[in-house]
Amino acid sequence: MPSAVHTVYQVLKKDIRPHVKALAGVIVLTLGIVTTEAISPWPFRLIIDNVLGEDTANYTEIFHSRLALGIAVTFLFFFVNTLQTFLEYFHAIVLKKVIRRIIFDFSRTAFSNIELMNIGFYRTQEIGDYIYRLSNDVYALGVMLEDGVLPII
């Protein structure tokens, strides 16, 4: 591995490692959202096939009328959609919080590395370029994590 890539890998590994549990929570919430999205068409199938249609043989022992089945399926529909909304809300909150913490840790590490450089280095280099790169690279890291890496995972 080249030294620059290895250094970036080490910094990211060090800055992301404390947030593994929170990232696992984000993944669990994502799986919950996917599950509720997969379940959400099921109440419509029940209403169309068993309440509006003629196929009530499967549910006659549990629900004694089409009206009872329709009410139960309506409550199921609202429950699944409410659960999905809450999962999406908590997913957004936890994701933003984790990304903010990762970006803060990365910024702190980058700034401490810049502070440790020799003063003679700054006399020969352009300081504005480093400040610009630091601020934009940290922003790019946040965008990459939020919009690229975590959705792929």
Side-chain angles (χ1 to χ4, degrees), residues 92-109:
I93 288 174
V94 171
L95 181 65
K96 292 285 185 187
K97 188 181 277 189
V98 169
I99 288 175
R100 259 189 264 129
R101 286 184 199 157
I102 290 171
I103 289 173
F104 176 76
D105 290 346
F106 182 75
S107 299
R108 185 179 46 186
T109 302

Side-chain angles (χ1 to χ4, degrees), residues 2 20 43 61 70 75 106 108:
V20 169
E61 54 274 345
F75 280 120
F106 182 75
R108 185 179 46 186

Side-chain angles (χ1 to χ4, degrees), residues 15-90:
D15 287 339
I16 291 177
R17 181 173 283 158
H19 308 290
V20 169
K21 289 182 183 177
L23 289 172
V26 168
I27 291 172
V28 167
L29 287 171
T30 303
L31 291 175
I33 292 169
V34 169
T35 303
T36 55
E37 286 179 1
I39 292 173
S40 65
W42 186 61
F44 288 117
R45 179 194 155 285
L46 288 175
I47 286 177
I48 291 170
D49 291 345
N50 299 318
V51 176
L52 299 175
E54 298 297 324
D55 186 21
T56 59
N58 296 336
Y59 300 102
T60 52
E61 54 274 345
I62 299 171
F63 302 100
H64 300 293
S65 69
R66 289 183 182 200
L67 179 64
L69 178 62
I71 291 171
V73 168
T74 303
F75 280 120
L76 177 67
F77 171 75
F78 283 118
F79 174 75
V80 167
N81 284 325
T82 303
L83 179 64
Q84 181 178 357
T85 302
F86 280 121
L87 288 173
E88 288 173 352
Y89 173 74
F90 289 120

